[in-house]
Amino acid sequence: VQLVESGGGLVQPGGSLRLSCAASGFTFSAYEMGWFRQAPGKEREYVARISYSGDTTYYADSVKGRFTISRDNAKKMVYLQMNSLKPEDTDVYYCAAAGRIGTIILSPDYWGQGTQVTVSS
C-alpha cells in the first residue's frame, strides 16, 4: 500500500496550490479519502474528506470556501485545490485512506508521507 503526495511548495499569501495524492496497493474506489495537516509540535488536523464515489465532500471550518477536495477513481488519485492561501495554512499536508465508512477522521487505515506547504511573502 502506498499513498504518495506531491504538489507542495512555497507560495505567497493569496496564492494557490494543488496537492495530489497517488494511491496504490488497495481498492481505491472503495475507500473514503481525506487530507490532513500538521505543524511541528502540534496535533494532526483534519482538513477535508471525500466519499468513495466522490459525490460528497466535507471541510474543516478553517478551509471551507477556499479548499476543494476531489478524486479520480480511474487514476487512483485524490486532489486538494487550495486557494486564497494564508500564512496559517503553512503545514505538512498528508493524505489518508479509510475503508470503513465514518472512520477517516479518527482512524484512517493508510497515511502518506506528507508534502510541505509554506505560505509566506
Side-chain angles (χ1 to χ4, degrees):
V1 172
Q2 273 197 314
L3 293 172
V4 180
E5 301 96 334
S6 61
L10 174 64
V11 62
Q12 292 187 342
S16 298
L17 278 176
R18 188 195 195 205
L19 305 183
S20 300
C21 174
S24 62
F26 62 101
T27 307
F28 179 77
S29 59
Y31 278 67
E32 188 176 18
M33 299 298 295
W35 285 96
F36 296 75
R37 63 188 183 185
Q38 187 172 23
K42 294 188 177 181
E43 289 190 359
R44 194 166 293 186
E45 175 190 15
Y46 155 75
V47 174
R49 67 189 194 272
I50 187 166
S51 63
Y52 64 91
S53 65
D55 290 345
T56 308
T57 58
Y58 304 90
Y59 299 91
D61 288 344
S62 58
V63 306
K64 200 172 294 182
R66 300 188 298 122
F67 290 11
T68 303
I69 188 171
S70 62
R71 68 188 295 162
D72 184 332
N73 284 348
K75 295 182 179 179
K76 299 183 180 180
M77 298 287 294
V78 62
Y79 306 98
L80 186 68
Q81 178 66 43
M82 305 186 295
N83 299 328
S84 303
L85 282 161
K86 305 174 182 180
E88 52 263 43
D89 294 318
T90 296
D91 273 319
V92 178
Y93 283 71
Y94 300 87
C95 71
R100 295 159 293 169
I101 295 174
T103 64
I104 186 69
I105 294 178
L106 292 180
S107 57
D109 297 301
Y110 309 121
W111 289 99
Q113 84 290 346
T115 186
Q116 176 70 48
V117 171
T118 302
V119 185
S120 175
S121 54

